[in-house]
PDB file of all heavy atoms in Angstrom:
ATOM      1  N   ALA A  11     113.422 106.083  88.061  1.00 89.00           N
ATOM      2  CA  ALA A  11     112.602 105.748  89.232  1.00 89.00           C
ATOM      3  C   ALA A  11     111.747 106.947  89.637  1.00 89.00           C
ATOM      4  O   ALA A  11     110.558 106.807  89.950  1.00 89.00           O
ATOM      5  CB  ALA A  11     113.476 105.299  90.395  1.00 89.00           C
ATOM      6  N   GLU A  12     112.336 108.135  89.613  1.00 93.00           N
ATOM      7  CA  GLU A  12     111.597 109.352  89.961  1.00 93.00           C
ATOM      8  C   GLU A  12     110.497 109.621  88.935  1.00 93.00           C
ATOM      9  O   GLU A  12     109.380 110.000  89.293  1.00 93.00           O
ATOM     10  CB  GLU A  12     112.554 110.548  90.049  1.00 93.00           C
ATOM     11  CG  GLU A  12     111.890 111.819  90.520  1.00 93.00           C
ATOM     12  CD  GLU A  12     111.353 111.744  91.941  1.00 93.00           C
ATOM     13  OE1 GLU A  12     111.850 110.961  92.765  1.00 93.00           O
ATOM     14  OE2 GLU A  12     110.393 112.484  92.229  1.00 93.00           O
ATOM     15  N   GLN A  13     110.793 109.417  87.652  1.00 92.00           N
ATOM     16  CA  GLN A  13     109.793 109.617  86.608  1.00 92.00           C
ATOM     17  C   GLN A  13     108.623 108.649  86.770  1.00 92.00           C
ATOM     18  O   GLN A  13     107.456 109.030  86.612  1.00 92.00           O
ATOM     19  CB  GLN A  13     110.420 109.458  85.223  1.00 92.00           C
ATOM     20  CG  GLN A  13     111.332 110.599  84.845  1.00 92.00           C
ATOM     21  CD  GLN A  13     112.106 110.314  83.566  1.00 92.00           C
ATOM     22  OE1 GLN A  13     112.671 109.221  83.394  1.00 92.00           O
ATOM     23  NE2 GLN A  13     112.126 111.276  82.671  1.00 92.00           N
ATOM     24  N   LEU A  14     108.924 107.393  87.094  1.00 91.00           N
ATOM     25  CA  LEU A  14     107.857 106.410  87.319  1.00 91.00           C
ATOM     26  C   LEU A  14     106.996 106.812  88.507  1.00 91.00           C
ATOM     27  O   LEU A  14     105.760 106.710  88.466  1.00 91.00           O
ATOM     28  CB  LEU A  14     108.446 105.014  87.538  1.00 91.00           C
ATOM     29  CG  LEU A  14     108.979 104.319  86.304  1.00 91.00           C
ATOM     30  CD1 LEU A  14     109.750 103.055  86.690  1.00 91.00           C
ATOM     31  CD2 LEU A  14     107.850 103.972  85.348  1.00 91.00           C
ATOM     32  N   LEU A  15     107.628 107.281  89.559  1.00 92.00           N
ATOM     33  CA  LEU A  15     106.891 107.723  90.745  1.00 92.00           C
ATOM     34  C   LEU A  15     106.004 108.916  90.404  1.00 92.00           C
ATOM     35  O   LEU A  15     104.831 108.966  90.797  1.00 92.00           O
ATOM     36  CB  LEU A  15     107.861 108.078  91.870  1.00 92.00           C
ATOM     37  CG  LEU A  15     107.245 108.501  93.199  1.00 92.00           C
ATOM     38  CD1 LEU A  15     106.350 107.412  93.763  1.00 92.00           C
ATOM     39  CD2 LEU A  15     108.328 108.843  94.189  1.00 92.00           C
ATOM     40  N   MET A  16     106.532 109.875  89.651  1.00 94.00           N
ATOM     41  CA  MET A  16     105.741 111.047  89.262  1.00 94.00           C
ATOM     42  C   MET A  16     104.559 110.634  88.383  1.00 94.00           C
ATOM     43  O   MET A  16     103.446 111.158  88.537  1.00 94.00           O
ATOM     44  CB  MET A  16     106.626 112.061  88.536  1.00 94.00           C
ATOM     45  CG  MET A  16     107.595 112.753  89.469  1.00 94.00           C
ATOM     46  SD  MET A  16     108.813 113.907  88.746  1.00 94.00           S
ATOM     47  CE  MET A  16     108.374 114.107  87.069  1.00 94.00           C
ATOM     48  N   LEU A  17     104.775 109.687  87.473  1.00 91.00           N
ATOM     49  CA  LEU A  17     103.689 109.220  86.617  1.00 91.00           C
ATOM     50  C   LEU A  17     102.614 108.512  87.441  1.00 91.00           C
ATOM     51  O   LEU A  17     101.416 108.728  87.242  1.00 91.00           O
ATOM     52  CB  LEU A  17     104.218 108.296  85.527  1.00 91.00           C
ATOM     53  CG  LEU A  17     103.171 107.716  84.578  1.00 91.00           C
ATOM     54  CD1 LEU A  17     102.432 108.836  83.843  1.00 91.00           C
ATOM     55  CD2 LEU A  17     103.819 106.760  83.596  1.00 91.00           C
ATOM     56  N   THR A  18     103.037 107.692  88.370  1.00 89.00           N
ATOM     57  CA  THR A  18     102.093 106.988  89.240  1.00 89.00           C
ATOM     58  C   THR A  18     101.247 107.992  90.025  1.00 89.00           C
ATOM     59  O   THR A  18     100.029 107.839  90.138  1.00 89.00           O
ATOM     60  CB  THR A  18     102.845 106.050  90.204  1.00 89.00           C
ATOM     61  OG1 THR A  18     103.591 105.111  89.442  1.00 89.00           O
ATOM     62  CG2 THR A  18     101.900 105.322  91.133  1.00 89.00           C
ATOM     63  N   ARG A  19     101.894 109.011  90.547  1.00 92.00           N
ATOM     64  CA  ARG A  19     101.160 110.037  91.294  1.00 92.00           C
ATOM     65  C   ARG A  19     100.181 110.779  90.386  1.00 92.00           C
ATOM     66  O   ARG A  19      99.068 111.101  90.792  1.00 92.00           O
ATOM     67  CB  ARG A  19     102.129 111.015  91.939  1.00 92.00           C
ATOM     68  CG  ARG A  19     102.866 110.426  93.120  1.00 92.00           C
ATOM     69  CD  ARG A  19     103.819 111.411  93.724  1.00 92.00           C
ATOM     70  NE  ARG A  19     104.507 110.831  94.862  1.00 92.00           N
ATOM     71  CZ  ARG A  19     105.684 111.226  95.294  1.00 92.00           C
ATOM     72  NH1 ARG A  19     106.313 112.230  94.705  1.00 92.00           N
ATOM     73  NH2 ARG A  19     106.247 110.646  96.329  1.00 92.00           N
ATOM     74  N   ARG A  20     100.608 111.055  89.152  1.00 91.00           N
ATOM     75  CA  ARG A  20      99.729 111.754  88.202  1.00 91.00           C
ATOM     76  C   ARG A  20      98.504 110.898  87.885  1.00 91.00           C
ATOM     77  O   ARG A  20      97.373 111.392  87.851  1.00 91.00           O
ATOM     78  CB  ARG A  20     100.496 112.093  86.932  1.00 91.00           C
ATOM     79  CG  ARG A  20      99.648 112.871  85.955  1.00 91.00           C
ATOM     80  CD  ARG A  20     100.470 113.477  84.827  1.00 91.00           C
ATOM     81  NE  ARG A  20      99.569 114.183  83.945  1.00 91.00           N
ATOM     82  CZ  ARG A  20      99.500 113.998  82.642  1.00 91.00           C
ATOM     83  NH1 ARG A  20     100.336 113.169  82.050  1.00 91.00           N
ATOM     84  NH2 ARG A  20      98.637 114.653  81.913  1.00 91.00           N
ATOM     85  N   VAL A  21      98.724 109.610  87.647  1.00 88.00           N
ATOM     86  CA  VAL A  21      97.605 108.701  87.372  1.00 88.00           C
ATOM     87  C   VAL A  21      96.640 108.720  88.555  1.00 88.00           C
ATOM     88  O   VAL A  21      95.427 108.819  88.382  1.00 88.00           O
ATOM     89  CB  VAL A  21      98.113 107.260  87.095  1.00 88.00           C
ATOM     90  CG1 VAL A  21      96.964 106.265  87.093  1.00 88.00           C
ATOM     91  CG2 VAL A  21      98.883 107.201  85.791  1.00 88.00           C
ATOM     92  N   HIS A  22      97.185 108.638  89.752  1.00 86.00           N
ATOM     93  CA  HIS A  22      96.357 108.635  90.960  1.00 86.00           C
ATOM     94  C   HIS A  22      95.545 109.930  91.061  1.00 86.00           C
ATOM     95  O   HIS A  22      94.337 109.895  91.351  1.00 86.00           O
ATOM     96  CB  HIS A  22      97.241 108.446  92.194  1.00 86.00           C
ATOM     97  CG  HIS A  22      96.484 108.363  93.472  1.00 86.00           C
ATOM     98  ND1 HIS A  22      95.790 107.245  93.866  1.00 86.00           N
ATOM     99  CD2 HIS A  22      96.295 109.282  94.454  1.00 86.00           C
ATOM    100  CE1 HIS A  22      95.211 107.475  95.033  1.00 86.00           C
ATOM    101  NE2 HIS A  22      95.506 108.691  95.409  1.00 86.00           N
ATOM    102  N   ARG A  23      96.185 111.076  90.824  1.00 90.00           N
ATOM    103  CA  ARG A  23      95.479 112.362  90.907  1.00 90.00           C
ATOM    104  C   ARG A  23      94.357 112.444  89.874  1.00 90.00           C
ATOM    105  O   ARG A  23      93.250 112.900  90.183  1.00 90.00           O
ATOM    106  CB  ARG A  23      96.454 113.525  90.686  1.00 90.00           C
ATOM    107  CG  ARG A  23      97.253 113.924  91.896  1.00 90.00           C
ATOM    108  CD  ARG A  23      97.962 115.255  91.692  1.00 90.00           C
ATOM    109  NE  ARG A  23      98.664 115.386  90.424  1.00 90.00           N
ATOM    110  CZ  ARG A  23      99.932 115.030  90.200  1.00 90.00           C
ATOM    111  NH1 ARG A  23     100.636 114.502  91.176  1.00 90.00           N
ATOM    112  NH2 ARG A  23     100.480 115.199  89.023  1.00 90.00           N
ATOM    113  N   ILE A  24      94.642 112.017  88.649  1.00 89.00           N
ATOM    114  CA  ILE A  24      93.631 112.081  87.589  1.00 89.00           C
ATOM    115  C   ILE A  24      92.457 111.173  87.921  1.00 89.00           C
ATOM    116  O   ILE A  24      91.295 111.559  87.781  1.00 89.00           O
ATOM    117  CB  ILE A  24      94.247 111.737  86.218  1.00 89.00           C
ATOM    118  CG1 ILE A  24      95.195 112.866  85.780  1.00 89.00           C
ATOM    119  CG2 ILE A  24      93.177 111.491  85.165  1.00 89.00           C
ATOM    120  CD1 ILE A  24      96.051 112.522  84.577  1.00 89.00           C
TER     121      ILE A  24
END
Side-chain angles (χ1 to χ4, degrees):
E12 185 64 26
Q13 288 171 314
L14 286 170
L15 183 59
M16 288 176 8
L17 179 60
T18 301
R19 287 180 180 155
R20 183 167 179 233
V21 168
H22 183 76
R23 279 192 313 271
I24 290 169

